[in-house]
């Protein structure tokens, strides 16, 4: 018998079923690198084998039990000591005893609920993993394997266009339209900007996609803004009545679905940020939130060989309509007369809403 059970040790391998046919998906690590793991969906079973190989043939491995866990957890980087588990399933593989030879165990977690999408952000990580533990008196042997989960959605029932008039009082009135308020991750944002009143000298205009990650609550709330993409849509001074087209392709960017109050720990939202710069290099901007969602692929099959019905998780795409919009994206340029309806102020980078000086 080895002293305190330290004499014998073992290597653990977790082999998931269907590794040759199941797709791999990329996810970022905390240091910004990308890893590829097997891709799963909500409701799919997770099955496979656990192989335990003894390091010293002929010597027994004493243990207090062997178990495998399926875990879904959220890690907040400012609170690394606590992992908030929202899913935890356990299967006992072996009762306490001795292992005298290499051993293999099969496991199956049937129709596992995976309510949230895997995510790695600036201040938070949501991950799914399998953990095998060989329990020993003083030092357990542990092996973990990560997997990626994608949450699918169906087409939103309502997807209104976004139409808004913004400006600076008596200086600038513009009207912008985007063709809808909810976009899948491979979608194209199509829109137009109309200049209704131009009394300041604008030299440049751009549109940016901003990701806003919010973690924690109360005094421990952290907000991180990241510019995902930036496009120049105008260079030079516009004139009254001019129309500028917008077309932004989302497929080439590292985007996730919109996530709202995930397990009361974090949210991820996306905004279109319209920025104008005048000849004195003052910048004015207006943000508009959009919703992103993941569209199911036709080739995806469930564990039973049938195509699963796409579902609409409440935290991803709401069934409610988006911002009030116009009936059609394409219309004649606006008339020369300035609008009489109230106009939302654009914001200058110093936080003010200036009037013409």
């Amino acid at each position: 018998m080895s002293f305190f059970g330290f004499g014998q040790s073992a290597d653990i391998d977790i082999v998931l079923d269907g590794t040759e046919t199941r797709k791999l998906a990329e996810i970022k690590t905390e240091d910004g690198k990308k890893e590829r793991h097997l891709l799963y969906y909500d409701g799919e079973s997770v099955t496979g084998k656990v192989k335990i190989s003894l390091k010293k043939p002929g010597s027994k491995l004493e243990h207090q039990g062997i178990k495998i866990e399926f875990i879904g957890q959220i890690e907040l980087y400012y609170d690394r000591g606590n992992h908030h588990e929202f899913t935890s399933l356990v299967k006992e593989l072996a009762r306490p005893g001795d292992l005298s030879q290499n051993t293999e165990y099969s496991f199956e977690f049937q129709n596992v609920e995976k309510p949230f999408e895997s995510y790695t952000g600036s201040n938070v990580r949501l991950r799914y993993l399998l953990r095998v533990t060989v329990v020993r008196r003083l030092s357990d042997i542990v092996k973990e394997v990560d997997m990626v989960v994608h949450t699918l959605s169906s087409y939103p029932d309502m997807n209104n266009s976004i139409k808004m008039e913004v400006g600076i009082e008596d200086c600038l009135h513009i009207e912008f339209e985007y063709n809808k308020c909810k976009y899948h991750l491979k979608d194209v944002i199509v829109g137009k900007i109309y200049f209704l009143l131009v009394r300041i000298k604008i030299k440049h205009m751009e549109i940016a996609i901003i990701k806003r990650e919010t973690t924690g609550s109360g005094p421990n709330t952290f907000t991180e803004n990241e510019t995902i993409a930036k496009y120049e849509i105008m260079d030079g001074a516009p004139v009254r009545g001019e129309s500028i087209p917008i077309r932004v392709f989302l497929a080439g960017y590292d985007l996730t679905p919109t996530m709202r109050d995930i397990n009361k720990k974090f949210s991820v939202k996306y905004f279109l940020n319209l920025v104008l710069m005048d000849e004195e290099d003052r910048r004015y901007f207006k943000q508009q939130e959009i919703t992103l969602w993941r569209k199911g692929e036709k080739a995806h099959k469930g564990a039973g060989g049938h195509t699963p019905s796409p579902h609409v998780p409440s935290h991803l795409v709401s069934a409610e309509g988006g911002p009030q919009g116009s009936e059609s994206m394409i219309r004649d340029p606006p008339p020369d007369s300035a609008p009489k309806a109230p106009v939302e102020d654009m914001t200058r980078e110093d936080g003010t809403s200036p009037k013409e000086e």
Side-chain angles (χ1 to χ4, degrees):
M1 180 182 293
S2 59
F3 184 65
F4 289 119
F6 281 115
Q8 176 66 288
S9 188
D11 290 322
I12 302 174
D13 286 319
I14 303 173
V15 181
L16 289 160
D17 291 340
T19 53
E20 296 84 5
T21 57
R22 185 171 291 275
K23 288 181 63 176
L24 296 173
E26 283 190 346
I27 191 166
K28 285 195 303 185
T29 60
E30 288 184 48
D31 57 7
K33 297 178 181 178
K34 290 189 176 181
E35 294 180 345
R36 292 173 65 84
H37 298 293
L38 291 174
L39 175 62
Y40 285 83
Y41 297 92
D42 183 25
E44 283 191 311
S45 297
V46 179
T47 63
K49 293 181 174 57
V50 175
K51 298 179 180 180
I52 300 178
S53 305
L54 300 180
K55 291 186 176 180
K56 297 179 181 179
S59 178
K60 292 183 179 180
L61 175 65
E62 223 179 284
H63 65 84
Q64 306 302 312
I66 303 172
K67 64 181 179 179
I68 183 169
E69 301 167 88
F70 178 91
I71 297 172
Q73 66 183 24
I74 297 172
E75 304 172 16
L76 298 169
Y77 296 162
Y78 65 82
D79 187 21
R80 288 182 179 272
N82 295 318
H83 293 166
H84 306 276
E85 294 185 359
F86 55 85
T87 296
S88 181
L89 304 172
V90 183
K91 298 280 187 183
E92 297 293 336
L93 300 179
R95 294 181 178 181
D98 296 334
L99 290 181
S100 56
Q101 59 185 4
N102 296 343
T103 310
E104 185 177 290
Y105 303 96
S106 297
F107 67 89
E108 180 178 14
F109 294 100
Q110 283 192 345
N111 305 325
V112 182
E113 182 181 352
K114 311 175 195 71
F116 309 123
E117 175 139 343
S118 300
Y119 176 75
T120 303
S122 302
N123 296 309
V124 64
R125 177 166 69 153
L126 189 152
R127 64 190 287 235
Y128 292 87
L129 65 143
L130 288 169
R131 178 187 295 149
V132 173
T133 306
V134 178
V135 182
R136 299 200 296 178
R137 282 178 291 179
L138 291 180
S139 61
D140 296 343
I141 305 173
V142 180
K143 174 74 172 184
E144 292 182 353
V145 169
D146 280 81
M147 62 186 66
V148 174
V149 170
H150 283 175
T151 306
L152 304 180
S153 291
S154 59
Y155 278 93
D157 292 335
M158 296 181 64
N159 200 358
N160 294 330
S161 61
I162 301 171
K163 179 181 178 181
M164 187 177 296
E165 292 181 10
V166 298
I168 305 161
E169 188 176 349
D170 298 328
C171 302
L172 176 70
H173 285 178
I174 64 174
E175 180 182 277
F176 64 79
E177 294 187 57
Y178 303 119
N179 60 332
K180 48 192 175 183
C181 60
K182 299 173 183 177
Y183 298 89
H184 62 77
L185 300 183
K186 307 297 183 184
D187 218 334
V188 181
I189 298 173
V190 178
K192 280 189 178 183
I193 296 174
Y194 305 102
F195 288 87
L196 305 176
L197 177 67
V198 183
R199 289 181 182 166
I200 59 176
K201 296 179 179 179
I202 298 173
K203 69 173 185 179
H204 174 78
M205 183 163 60
E206 65 187 25
I207 190 169
I209 302 173
I210 307 294
K211 182 176 84 169
R212 181 173 299 162
E213 175 190 291
T214 305
T215 55
S217 59
N220 289 326
T221 300
F222 297 89
T223 300
E224 195 79 25
N225 290 320
E226 179 185 353
T227 301
I228 303 295
K230 187 182 291 185
Y231 294 89
E232 180 180 85
I233 55 178
M234 187 192 71
D235 186 17
V239 296
R240 184 177 182 176
E242 190 167 359
S243 170
I244 306 293
I246 298 172
R247 188 174 292 267
V248 179
F249 294 85
L250 300 179
Y253 297 101
D254 186 14
L255 300 169
T256 68
T258 295
M259 303 179 183
R260 303 188 190 279
D261 198 21
I262 300 298
N263 210 43
K264 301 188 184 303
K265 299 298 179 187
F266 73 97
S267 297
V268 179
K269 298 180 180 180
Y270 290 88
F271 296 83
L272 293 177
N273 192 33
L274 185 65
V275 181
L276 287 78
M277 182 182 295
D278 65 18
E279 289 190 343
E280 297 179 14
D281 290 335
R282 291 178 297 196
R283 295 165 65 89
Y284 309 91
F285 65 91
K286 186 66 179 179
Q287 287 191 350
Q288 175 65 51
E289 184 178 358
I290 58 172
T291 298
L292 300 184
W293 56 281
R294 187 181 297 281
K295 184 170 66 171
E297 297 181 14
K298 293 181 180 179
H300 169 59
K301 298 283 185 180
H306 62 281
T307 303
S309 309
H311 59 286
V312 186
S314 60
H315 66 278
L316 193 57
V317 178
S318 69
E320 300 173 358
Q324 183 178 0
S326 60
E327 291 295 321
S328 174
M329 186 60 222
I330 301 173
R331 66 170 176 81
D332 293 329
D336 290 342
S337 58
K340 295 180 181 179
V343 178
E344 291 197 21
D345 286 342
M346 296 193 76
T347 306
R348 206 160 76 184
E349 277 198 329
D350 58 11
T352 62
S353 298
K355 298 182 180 181
E356 184 180 17
E357 297 176 357

